Each structure stands twice: as structure tokens, then as C-alpha cells.
Amino acid sequence: IAKALRDTAMTLWPAPAPEYISGHKPDGPPSESPHCTFFTLPYVGFEHADGHVMGVAVAIPRNLGDAHPRDALLKLAGLKGQILKLGPLGTWKVLSAGEFSDSETLKPRTWCATPSGATEWASVTPIVFDEHPKTADRAAYNDQVAEMFTRACKRVGLPEPTAIVPSPVSAHVAGPASHQFPRMQRKDGSERRQMHARITFPEPVIGPILIGAGRYRGYGLLRPIMEKNK
């Protein structure tokens, strides 16, 4: 779904689409600059949640080089009314969240913790590893994963976490386990590992937050821990 949203968004610009949308430089290599992230909004974290995807979203970086985030936002508004082609899953027509539903899942505050931010966050989609821990000891393995996730947070401009608890399962009600998500592949065809995590920051932060090697593909999506989840 996230890929279909990105592919559709690229058609809103004359080819080639700008680097901050395509994620690639004009000559083909992956972009080294911040670019837009396309991701899904699943129904998780509520008492009767079942994990199904209720909507899609785009996170626009504050720094787009020569472009202004507002210009990108206005252009991406053209997604409304577009048809997402999902192969065997059929098609989706993109509607405005406000026009379609009053669900908390589709409200920015649910994913961004606006206006005051939150210190407790947990992954909804697993965080993809940047590297493989090199130890067979479970405690040491989790420590290395926590250190990796700490670097992933700092890489996107977040404060260094005070605590990270890796886990194969999500802390959010109805969040699928990490093994239920397809693994991303490296260029050599090998698969990257992935895990969920609960992360505590030293100060409230505002989302949306996506971290890890799969952040531009909707992996590593964090959501604030709500009171009913604690």
C-alpha cells in the first residue's frame, strides 16, 4: 500500500519526480537527503483494535533542499481522488481523512502526540536493522539492538533515548508481531532482521516518527503509548 501511494504521488510531478518524492537522485542512486515517507495507518492501540489498515499518510521532512515543505504539501494534496492500484488487493480511492471518518486512527494527534508531545513511544511496524548483531547471547543481542535503535533515533534528529526495550511483539494492542511482516532485502538478496521496540525519550517529542533502515517504506513507525496501553 505504501509503495502504491508513493508511485501515485510521483505522477503528480512532471517526470522525473523530485528527489524528495522519489527517494532517488536524477541519475538513479538512492538519495542521501531527507525525503518523504509514505506509510499506512493501522487500527492498533485501542481496546477493540484488530490491526487492519484504515488509511495512509505522508511525512514531509522539514528540510527539502531547494523546495519548501508547504509547496510539497500543496502538491501532495493532489493525491485526493487518485486511485491506488494494489494488484490482487484491488484498488483504493484516496479520500480526505476528515471527510471519510472521525476515527482516532486517522487523526494526526494519534501519531504525532500533538500538541505537547510524548516521552513513551512504541513501534507499530517493526524497526529494520541497519546491521546484524554479532552474538549468540540473548542479553548481549538485545543490548546491541538497543544501541542500534539509539543510533537510528539520533540519525533522524531525535534526542538520545533513556531506555529502549526490543521485543518480537508490539506494545500496542493488535500490533502484528515482527515476524508477520515481510523482511526487506539487501542488494545482495539477503534479508534484513527486524524487531519491535518500546522507546523512552528524556523529553516529550512530536511525531510522526519512523526510524531504521525501512523508515522510507513504512517500517519503524512509532506511535505514542496511550494510557490504556500501559
Side-chain angles (χ1 to χ4, degrees):
I1 296 171
K3 182 181 183 302
L5 182 65
R6 169 188 171 274
D7 291 347
T8 303
M10 289 179 62
T11 67
L12 300 177
W13 278 264
E19 190 173 326
Y20 63 80
I21 290 293
S22 68
H24 292 272
K25 297 179 180 180
D27 56 348
S31 173
E32 298 176 357
S33 303
H35 46 283
C36 290
T37 295
F38 301 87
F39 56 102
T40 58
L41 303 176
Y43 180 34
V44 300
F46 298 101
E47 183 179 358
H48 301 293
D50 59 10
H52 80 276
V53 175
M54 295 189 64
V56 293
V58 184
I60 304 174
R62 293 186 180 91
N63 180 15
L64 293 181
D66 295 334
H68 192 284
R70 183 174 296 277
D71 295 334
L73 177 61
L74 292 174
K75 193 73 170 179
L76 286 167
L79 282 168
K80 181 180 177 181
Q82 297 287 330
I83 302 298
L84 303 186
K85 298 178 180 180
L86 305 175
L89 297 180
T91 59
W92 274 9
K93 182 177 181 179
V94 180
L95 303 175
S96 169
E99 295 176 347
F100 176 71
S101 171
D102 193 43
S103 169
E104 288 295 316
T105 297
L106 301 181
K107 294 181 179 179
R109 67 189 182 199
T110 299
W111 303 93
C112 301
T114 52
S116 56
T119 57
E120 298 283 339
W121 296 71
S123 58
V124 174
T125 55
I127 304 167
V128 179
F129 291 11
D130 290 302
E131 57 193 69
H132 281 185
K134 298 177 175 59
T135 177
D137 180 77
R138 175 53 58 180
Y141 182 93
N142 284 340
D143 287 343
Q144 290 184 23
V145 171
E147 292 174 2
M148 186 194 318
F149 290 174
T150 293
R151 293 192 295 273
C153 288
K154 295 170 68 176
R155 187 174 297 118
V156 297
L158 295 167
E160 182 172 339
T162 55
I164 295 182
V165 180
S167 173
V169 297
S170 174
H172 294 291
V173 174
S178 58
H179 74 269
Q180 293 179 269
F181 290 82
R183 287 194 178 187
M184 291 182 59
Q185 292 188 340
R186 293 185 173 84
K187 291 182 179 180
D188 63 5
S190 63
E191 294 184 333
R192 292 181 179 272
R193 298 180 188 179
Q194 57 197 26
M195 285 186 76
H196 283 291
R198 183 164 179 158
I199 302 177
T200 303
F201 295 101
E203 59 194 52
V205 296
I206 293 177
I209 298 176
L210 296 101
I211 63 173
R215 63 189 180 278
Y216 291 117
R217 302 187 186 182
Y219 283 75
L221 172 63
L222 306 186
R223 181 179 153 176
I225 294 287
M226 302 176 70
E227 194 64 35
K228 63 182 66 177
N229 277 356
K230 292 184 177 181

